[in-house]
Amino acid sequence: MSAGDWTNIESDPGVFTSLVEELGVTGIQFEELFDLSQLEELSPVYGLVFLFKYEGSQQPQSVDYTNTNVFFARQVIQNSCATQAILSILLNNPEISIGPILSEFKLFCNDFDADTKGWAISNSDQIRLVHNSFAKPDPFLIEATGEGGEDAFHFISYVPIDGVLWELDGLQSGPINHGAFVDGDWFSKGEIWMIRSVIEARIALYAASEIRFNLMAVIKNREQLYTELLALAQDENQKKELLMLLSAAHEKREHWKKENQRRKHNFIGFTFQLLQEMAKSGLLQPAIEK
């Protein structure tokens, strides 16, 4: 694989939410999870994105191609795994409004094999440009291979499709079937054990040497959800609670917007100019010595 024109992006719910919205997706957002018990509070949940340190090789797992409804793409290029993991959820859930860009993309490559689907993602200018727009400006072009002591991380998805929990990992040869849900609700109290056991088993593979993991849920847009519930609310106390939740959801969106503006702004020229002026005025060396 070659990194090509794809760059690394930060694992952040604000980044991922804005990324999919720029691709035309509506009605969803990403939420960082610290405990799987949060899932019941976040319903509806459309999928999970899991980030872990990539060790350079993965144990091949038993894959299942029997369900043709599963959209699975191999990862054929480096640095695209975040967006590919996100697409694995978006393109496998008919409840999500994915918009014209991704609808046309899915229609175009739905019958391709997994490798060709991967190349279709990698060669999509629209998807690549949106992905790259969230990369931090860097004065040096560095290919993120994980070599030379630099850690590399990988994203995978967990998605419910036709009552079954699927793991979609672009570095595997196909989708991985983790079994059917008993009552069909993949985040009910009776089913969270399945999600927990699968993710804990994945973490256990690296537990002795690694503690850096990140788990995000794809959920319904909170502003939209609370607005809908508020329109139906009859009780005044419930209305007040929903208004507070709606305000908090709005503030979170505004915070994400500001953070993404900072991420996208190129401070490199300003920084170089500042250092030059400090050097001219004799302030740079004292600052370094401090």
Side-chain angles (χ1 to χ4, degrees):
M1 295 187 296
S2 170
D5 294 325
W6 290 72
T7 58
N8 277 323
I9 62 173
E10 186 177 349
S11 178
D12 178 85
V15 169
F16 287 1
T17 300
S18 297
L19 187 154
V20 301
E21 289 178 347
E22 290 191 20
L23 285 172
V25 180
T26 58
I28 66 165
Q29 68 181 62
F30 289 74
E31 189 76 19
E32 192 167 13
L33 300 178
F34 302 98
D35 190 293
L36 286 173
S37 62
Q38 293 175 254
L39 291 172
E40 290 180 73
E41 306 166 7
L42 296 172
S43 182
V45 178
Y46 305 116
L48 299 174
V49 176
F50 184 56
L51 168 71
F52 59 94
K53 184 179 176 182
Y54 179 61
E55 299 290 353
S57 62
Q58 290 201 105
Q59 185 70 28
Q61 299 190 46
S62 177
V63 299
D64 183 351
Y65 273 112
T66 58
N67 189 335
T68 57
N69 291 330
V70 179
F71 184 99
F72 176 78
R74 293 287 307 277
Q75 183 184 336
V76 298
I77 195 166
Q78 286 178 347
N79 300 333
S80 65
C81 61
T83 292
Q84 189 151 333
I86 293 168
L87 291 176
S88 292
I89 297 173
L90 300 180
L91 300 181
N92 276 300
N93 195 314
E95 294 181 25
I96 299 175
S97 177
I98 60 176
I101 294 174
L102 294 183
S103 294
E104 291 172 12
F105 175 80
K106 184 177 181 180
L107 183 64
F108 166 69
C109 66
N110 200 45
D111 293 329
F112 293 170
D113 60 39
D115 286 291
T116 310
K117 283 189 176 92
W119 283 115
I121 292 172
S122 299
N123 292 324
S124 169
D125 288 338
Q126 288 178 303
I127 296 173
R128 177 178 52 81
L129 289 172
V130 171
H131 170 101
N132 286 349
S133 72
F134 289 91
K136 292 182 179 180
D138 194 328
F140 307 104
L141 182 62
I142 300 173
E143 183 170 324
T145 63
E147 298 173 358
E150 182 180 335
D151 290 336
F153 290 85
H154 183 54
F155 295 84
I156 61 175
S157 302
Y158 294 99
V159 193
I161 304 171
D162 297 336
V164 171
L165 175 63
W166 293 88
E167 178 180 323
L168 304 180
D169 178 352
L171 297 183
Q172 296 290 339
S173 61
I176 299 164
N177 182 337
H178 285 292
F181 301 106
V182 175
D183 63 10
D185 183 357
W186 80 309
F187 283 137
S188 67
K189 287 184 178 179
E191 300 291 5
I192 283 182
W193 67 269
M194 179 187 287
I195 317 293
R196 186 184 299 276
S197 63
V198 169
I199 292 177
E200 287 179 348
R202 167 72 73 169
I203 291 174
L205 295 174
Y206 315 99
S209 60
E210 186 56 51
I211 60 171
R212 290 169 293 176
F213 302 97
N214 182 256
L215 182 65
M216 274 188 270
V218 183
I219 62 175
K220 186 169 184 176
N221 181 307
R222 296 293 100 175
E223 285 187 301
Q224 179 182 330
L225 176 64
Y226 298 141
T227 299
E228 292 172 356
L229 292 175
L230 188 60
L232 300 173
Q234 301 294 323
D235 181 75
E236 288 302 317
N237 289 330
Q238 185 184 20
K239 288 182 179 179
K240 289 179 181 178
E241 182 180 356
L242 286 169
L243 283 170
M244 291 176 62
L245 290 171
L246 182 58
S247 176
H250 179 72
E251 288 180 11
K252 177 181 282 189
R253 285 272 177 164
E254 288 299 306
H255 174 71
W256 284 349
K257 182 179 178 181
K258 290 178 182 177
E259 287 296 306
N260 284 330
Q261 287 172 341
R262 293 190 183 103
R263 285 185 179 96
K264 291 187 175 188
H265 186 76
N266 192 334
F267 291 95
I268 294 169
F270 167 78
T271 303
F272 284 169
Q273 186 64 37
L274 176 62
L275 292 173
Q276 287 178 344
E277 293 301 321
M278 289 179 68
K280 288 178 184 178
S281 60
L283 297 174
L284 182 59
Q285 191 60 36
I288 293 173
E289 292 173 353
K290 280 185 177 182

